[in-house]
Amino acid sequence: MSPVHTLTAPWQGEAPTPLNPDTAFNGFICAHVLHALERLGLLGRLETEGSVEVPSFCREHQLDQAVVHALVSAAESFGYLAVSGDRVRATRTGEEVRQAIGFFTWGVGGYHDVFANAAAVARGERRFGVDLHRDEGMVALGSAQADSALMRHLLDQEISRLDFTTLVDLGAGVSERVSRLVKARPGSRGIGIDISKSATELGAETVERYGLRGTVEPVCADVLDILFNDHRVEGADEADVVMSFMFLHDLLVDPARRDQVIPRLRAAFPKANTFLLGDTTVRPRNGGDTLPVFSSGFELAHALMGVPIYTREAYEELFAKGGMHLRSAVPFGAPHTYLFVLEAA
Ligand SMILES: C[S@@+](CC[C@H](N)C(=O)[O-])C[C@H]1O[C@@H](n2cnc3c(N)ncnc32)[C@H](O)[C@@H]1O
C-alpha cells in the first residue's frame, strides 16, 4: 500500500464498543438535538458570540420557547451546553462537536428516512430511489460543512504543488470547489460536471458569486456518458488536473464496467498530469474496540442504497490495474477518507 502521510489515530475513534443500550439510545436522541440546534442557528451563534440569551434568541427567530428550552435542556444533559439562568454557552465537548457537525447534518438531516426504513428495505417493501429518498439538500450541506471543517486545507496543500491551466471536477455538485480553486489560481479555468440539473443551475450562481463567469463552466452531463459513450464536454479534454470528491464510488456501481473506469478516465482526459480522487473507504476491521464518527453511517447508508463502497486496498488495486500510478493516499480529514493523488503510469 502507499505510504500514509500522517497518523490516522483519530480514525480509530473514541466511541467504546459494545455501545450499551443506554449509550445507543441517548446517542440517537443527542444526534437529533445537535442537528436541531445547528439548523436553528444556535450553535453558530454560540460560536460567534460565546454565549446566548435563549429567550431573546427565540424572540429574534420567532421560535417556540418551550421547544427550544427542551432542546437546550437535553443538550445540557448530554454535556454539550452549560446553562446558567437564561444564558447558555458551549461546553468543551460542545465546542469540539462543531468540527464534526457536518456528519450530523449528513446523517440526521440527509439520511433519517433511509435509516428509519432499514427493515422495510430488507423486506423489499421500500426501495431507495423509488419510494425512499434521502434529503439531497442536507446531504450536500453536510458535505460542505465537513469539507470546510476537515478537508479544504488538505486539498489546498495538494493543489498548491500542481501545475494546471484547466481544472475539471467530476460530480462537482454546485461547482463550489472548482470555483474556489480557480479563483485562487489566476489564469486558470475550470469545468464542473454534474448529472444533476438543479446542482448545475446552482453552480451558475456559485460562479457568479466568485465573479468567474466565462472562466468556470458548470456543465450538466453524465460522467459515465463521457467515459463510455463518447460524450464530449467542450474543453474538458484539455484538463491538466481532474478531480472528484465523494463520487468515485458512484462511477463504479456497474460491476461489468468497474475495471474499465480508470482506463476510460485516462483516455477521456489525455492531457491530465494528475487525478485527485477523494472518497471514503470501508473502515478496516482490525478488531479495535472503538469507533469513529461517520464510518458506520456511511457504510450502512450505502448498503441500504445498494451502492457498493470499497476498502482502500480495493481502490489501490483498481488504480494499479487501470494504469494509474498512485503518488500518495492522503488521509483526507473525515474518518477513513483519502485523497488519492494519481498520475497516468
Ligand atoms: C456525494 S455528491 C458529491 C458532490 C461534491 N463533489 C462534494 O464533494 O460535495 C455526488 C455528486 O455526484 C453527482 N453524480 C452522481 N452520478 C453522476 C454521474 N453519473 N455523472 C455526473 N455526476 C454525477 C451527484 O449529482 C452529486 O452532485
Side-chain angles (χ1 to χ4, degrees), residues 29 34 42 103 121 161 176 178 231 247 252 264 295 333 336:
I29 302 296
L34 292 172
L42 189 82
F103 300 124
V121 173
R161 301 189 180 110
E176 176 70 35
V178 63
H231 179 74
F247 172 59
L252 303 174
R264 298 274 177 147
S295 284
H336 304 291

Side-chain angles (χ1 to χ4, degrees), residues 255-314:
R257 299 203 287 202
R258 195 169 290 150
D259 283 348
Q260 277 308 304
V261 166
I262 298 299
R264 298 274 177 147
L265 271 175
R266 290 178 58 207
F269 303 100
K271 298 185 181 169
N273 60 57
T274 308
F275 291 79
L276 295 172
L277 307 181
D279 215 339
T280 301
T281 61
V282 176
R283 69 182 197 281
R285 301 307 201 259
N286 56 5
D289 54 6
T290 55
L291 287 173
V293 70
F294 186 50
S295 284
S296 60
F298 176 80
E299 291 170 16
L300 183 59
H302 284 82
L304 294 170
M305 293 187 289
V307 175
I309 50 172
Y310 305 87
T311 60
R312 173 182 167 178
E313 292 80 359

Side-chain angles (χ1 to χ4, degrees), residues 106 111 134 136 139-140 143-144 147 151 169-175 177 193-197 199 219-225 244-247 249-251 278 302:
W106 176 90
Y111 281 95
R134 59 185 176 186
E136 298 285 352
V139 172
S143 302
D147 177 57
M151 299 169 173
D169 191 5
L170 306 176
V174 298
S175 287
R177 253 192 210 93
I193 301 175
D194 202 283
I195 200 169
S196 154
K197 193 163 173 282
V219 174
C220 187
D222 184 340
V223 173
L224 288 168
D225 276 344
S244 86
F245 299 92
M246 313 310 148
F247 172 59
H249 60 275
D250 284 321
L251 293 179
H302 284 82

Side-chain angles (χ1 to χ4, degrees), residues 143-190:
S143 302
Q145 290 171 329
D147 177 57
S148 56
L150 302 167
M151 299 169 173
R152 184 173 296 185
H153 64 290
L154 298 168
L155 174 62
D156 288 355
Q157 269 168 30
E158 286 307 314
I159 209 102
S160 70
R161 301 189 180 110
L162 302 178
D163 260 347
F164 67 88
T165 306
T166 303
L167 184 62
V168 168
D169 191 5
L170 306 176
V174 298
S175 287
E176 176 70 35
R177 253 192 210 93
V178 63
S179 298
R180 188 174 63 78
L181 295 173
V182 164
K183 186 81 183 176
R185 185 74 63 99
S188 69
R189 57 190 292 272

Side-chain angles (χ1 to χ4, degrees), residues 25-64:
F25 186 88
N26 283 289
F28 173 77
I29 302 296
C30 182
H32 284 74
V33 167
L34 292 172
H35 178 59
L37 294 177
E38 190 280 329
R39 291 287 69 209
L40 292 172
L42 189 82
L43 294 187
R45 180 68 71 86
L46 286 171
E47 186 168 4
T48 52
E49 296 187 3
S51 71
V52 169
E53 215 255 335
V54 176
S56 58
F57 181 83
C58 291
R59 277 193 299 279
E60 187 188 333
H61 296 278
Q62 296 174 327
L63 303 174
D64 184 319

Side-chain angles (χ1 to χ4, degrees), residues 99-137:
Q99 283 279 98
I101 204 69
F103 300 124
F104 294 86
T105 306
W106 176 90
V108 180
Y111 281 95
H112 56 118
D113 272 354
V114 178
F115 290 132
N117 280 286
V121 173
R123 284 193 204 102
E125 294 163 1
R126 308 274 305 263
R127 271 181 55 209
F128 181 78
V130 178
D131 53 6
L132 181 60
H133 302 278
R134 59 185 176 186
D135 183 326
E136 298 285 352

